[in-house]
């Protein structure tokens, strides 16, 4: 393998692989490195993706879709259950590991070189490019060189300070596992101070009797997940297998800057995530596409300094910053609801006029209008306050 490249993409998740695909299609020499030996493993994400992602990025793989999202049951702290068909036909459940692997396959088909089992230890910028220190799974170390680097390392931020960038500063904790169930065939969302304080928990059918159950919280997410699995909501509906609980951070704030000389950040590494739900696939793909277009222009003009690359930072924040800001407001308001208010909140969702209001404004990927319309609805406001 050559040790000199136009671009090195660090991380073969969806945003890294998609950026690598677009750059390789533009004729650039692209190295895509992944520290794990198998792309897509371990899986941390539930794997729900809005239909808009497929509409905007028409080359995304479809054979990894396991089911369509039909409706979601919202379950209040006291056990009130309301079925909400707001996103019917607007989202799908993916086999997330196969999705990642298919995107990495797209990159290699386009001409990128994929190197799994390769951990980037160091990045050092100089006037001509970036020197990259890597360690292979065998223990062998090597020094590579690329004219530019995309960091798509998810919530691993150890490379950020090496390239003069500061990681996202707000996070949630996420814990998830997979169990077996023949009784839950639609998405269920659980709220309550004893379930996921300030946030929510979920159960998502993944086909063939499998169920992905997870929790996000400001602290102790894995502990809350264990309580949910053994508690009255789920214990009689599921069978625990051998799947371990996967834990990870979820950034819920955009990064201050996603560019420095010769370096761009995409995906979770840049905080391109919905602060309401923690979902990041679609926003990360948006970032990847914009990053690739920016670097294609950079190579055409031979301009790799921060000032030129800043257009990427400006473009994705213009698209996503308003959503991030309003989403954080909605989350902050939600965090202060008592269980009694959450009971009333769930109950009011069964009101026909409220349901019509939400359906009119609901968008699976863009939540600001939903947050504004819901919190300013007189019917909702009177129930909560």
């Amino acid at each position: 393998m050559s040790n000199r490249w136009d671009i090195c993409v660090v991380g073969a998740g969806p945003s890294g692989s998609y950026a690598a695909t677009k750059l390789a299609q533009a004729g650039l020499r692209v190295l895509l490195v992944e520290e794990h030996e198998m792309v897509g493993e371990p899986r941390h994400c539930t794997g729900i993706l809005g239909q808009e992602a497929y509409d905007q990025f028409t080359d995304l793989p479809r054979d990894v879709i396991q089911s369509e999202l039909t409706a979601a049951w919202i379950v209040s702290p006291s056990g009130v259950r309301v079925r909400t068909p707001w996103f019917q036909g607007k989202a799908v459940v993916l086999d997330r590991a196969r999705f990642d692997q298919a995107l990495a396959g797209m990159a290699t088909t386009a001409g990128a070189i994929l190197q799994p089992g390769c951990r980037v230890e160091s990045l050092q910028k100089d006037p001509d490019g970036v020197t990259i220190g890597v360690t292979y799974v065998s223990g062998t170390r090597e020094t590579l060189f690329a004219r530019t680097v995309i960091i798509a390392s998810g919530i691993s931020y150890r490379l950020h300070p090496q390239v003069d960038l500061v990681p996202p500063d707000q996070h949630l904790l996420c814990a998830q596992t997979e169990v077996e169930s023949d009784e839950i065939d639609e998405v269920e969302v659980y709220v309550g101070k004893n379930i996921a304080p300030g946030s929510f928990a979920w159960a998502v059918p993944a086909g063939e009797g499998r169920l992905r159950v997870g929790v996000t919280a400001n602290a102790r997410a894995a502990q809350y997940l264990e309580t949910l699995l053994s508690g009255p909501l789920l214990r009689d509906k599921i069978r625990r297998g051998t799947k371990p609980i996967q834990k990870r951070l979820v950034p819920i704030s955009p990064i201050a800057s996603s560019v420095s000389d010769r370096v761009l950040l995409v995906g979770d590494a840049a905080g391109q995530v919905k602060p309401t739900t923690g979902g990041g696939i679609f926003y990360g793909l948006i970032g990847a596409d914009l990053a690739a277009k920016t670097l294609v222009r950079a190579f055409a003009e031979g301009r790799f300094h921060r000032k030129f690359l800043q257009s990427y930072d400006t473009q994705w924040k213009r698209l996503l910053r308003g959503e991030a800001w309003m989403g954080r407001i909605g989350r902050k308001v939600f965090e202060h609801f008592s269980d009694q208010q959450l009971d009333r909140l769930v109950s009011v969702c069964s009101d026909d006029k409220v349901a019509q209001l939400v359906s009119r404004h609901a968008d699976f990927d863009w939540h600001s209008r939903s947050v504004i319309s819901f919190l300013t609805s007189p019917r909702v406001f009177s129930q909560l306050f």
Side-chain angles (χ1 to χ4, degrees):
M1 184 179 73
S2 170
N3 65 353
R4 299 187 69 86
W5 304 87
D6 291 326
I7 300 160
C8 176
V9 180
V10 183
S15 54
S17 290
Y18 199 76
T21 298
K22 295 303 176 182
L23 291 162
Q25 287 174 344
L28 296 165
R29 299 182 67 249
V30 180
L31 175 65
L32 175 61
V33 300
E34 168 58 45
E35 68 173 323
H36 299 101
E37 293 184 79
M38 177 70 72
V39 171
E41 300 290 349
R43 184 184 65 218
H44 297 288
C45 172
T46 303
I48 296 180
L49 183 62
Q51 182 60 46
E52 186 175 346
Y54 278 98
D55 294 339
Q56 182 166 337
F57 303 107
T58 56
D59 50 353
L60 293 179
R62 292 182 175 271
D63 60 349
V64 299
I65 296 174
Q66 295 178 308
S67 62
E68 283 195 3
L69 192 66
T70 54
W73 289 88
I74 305 177
V75 184
S76 80
S78 66
V80 174
R81 298 170 58 88
V82 175
R83 189 176 186 271
T84 59
W86 301 330
F87 299 115
Q88 185 169 4
K90 297 182 180 180
V92 295
V93 180
L94 305 172
D95 183 325
R96 178 55 197 275
R98 288 181 56 215
F99 180 74
D100 286 18
Q101 291 157 11
L103 287 177
M106 283 173 51
T108 58
T109 299
I113 301 299
L114 172 64
Q115 181 60 66
C118 179
R119 176 183 171 89
V120 175
E121 304 286 359
S122 63
L123 297 173
Q124 183 175 342
K125 296 184 293 181
D126 61 45
D128 297 320
V130 184
T131 300
I132 307 161
V134 303
T135 301
Y136 297 99
V137 69
S138 63
T140 302
R141 295 183 178 183
E142 188 176 12
T143 299
L144 309 176
F145 181 86
R147 295 176 69 189
T148 58
V149 168
I150 290 179
I151 298 177
S153 56
I155 48 83
S156 175
Y157 302 136
R158 57 191 171 76
L159 297 176
H160 288 53
Q162 298 184 31
V163 291
D164 307 314
L165 293 171
V166 179
D169 59 2
Q170 297 182 48
H171 297 82
L172 286 175
L173 295 177
C174 175
Q176 179 176 273
T177 190
E178 191 172 282
V179 298
E180 297 177 6
S181 175
D182 298 322
E183 298 189 39
I184 297 177
D185 56 8
E186 291 185 313
V187 173
E188 297 193 354
V189 177
Y190 314 101
V191 294
K193 296 295 185 183
N194 295 319
I195 295 171
S199 194
F200 65 98
W202 62 89
V204 175
E208 299 179 346
R210 293 172 296 159
L211 192 69
R212 293 173 195 155
V213 184
V215 171
T216 59
N218 289 319
R220 299 184 294 153
Q223 181 177 328
Y224 284 110
L225 177 55
E226 288 283 8
T227 301
L228 175 64
L229 293 169
S230 60
L233 287 172
L234 288 179
R235 66 187 174 208
D236 296 328
K237 298 179 180 180
I238 64 171
R239 297 181 299 278
R240 295 287 297 269
T242 59
K243 297 285 187 180
I245 289 178
Q246 300 285 351
K247 295 177 284 187
R248 70 188 297 263
L249 289 174
V250 178
I252 55 171
S253 63
I255 202 167
S257 176
S258 60
V259 299
S260 65
D261 292 342
R262 297 185 179 271
V263 178
L264 294 84
L265 307 178
V266 298
D268 283 13
Q272 294 166 346
V273 176
K274 305 172 199 173
T276 46
T277 65
I281 299 176
F282 182 39
Y283 285 9
L285 290 171
I286 290 173
D289 188 54
L290 291 172
K293 290 175 179 175
T294 301
L295 282 182
V296 169
R297 292 196 302 272
F299 274 90
E301 300 183 28
R303 301 169 67 187
F304 306 105
H305 51 80
R306 182 178 192 147
K307 185 176 181 180
F308 183 84
L309 300 180
Q310 184 66 33
S311 62
Y312 159 68
D313 191 78
T314 301
Q315 288 175 63
W316 76 258
K317 286 180 178 175
R318 184 181 297 126
L319 287 171
L320 304 182
R321 177 174 276 167
E323 291 294 314
W325 182 77
M326 183 54 64
R328 289 200 302 277
I329 289 178
R331 176 171 283 282
K332 285 296 183 184
V333 172
F334 188 78
E335 286 177 354
H336 288 89
F337 288 163
S338 66
D339 277 354
Q340 291 74 25
Q341 287 175 307
L342 290 172
D343 277 327
R344 295 197 296 271
L345 181 66
V346 173
S347 295
V348 81
C349 290
S350 63
D351 182 290
D352 286 342
K353 290 189 176 180
V354 171
Q356 291 172 12
L357 172 73
V358 176
S359 294
R360 189 162 60 249
H361 296 289
D363 190 298
F364 186 82
D365 290 303
W366 308 100
H367 298 164
S368 57
R369 289 182 61 202
S370 300
V371 171
I372 293 170
S373 63
F374 196 73
L375 293 180
T376 58
S377 163
R379 288 175 179 266
V380 174
F381 193 87
S382 64
Q383 289 295 315
L384 292 176
F385 308 105

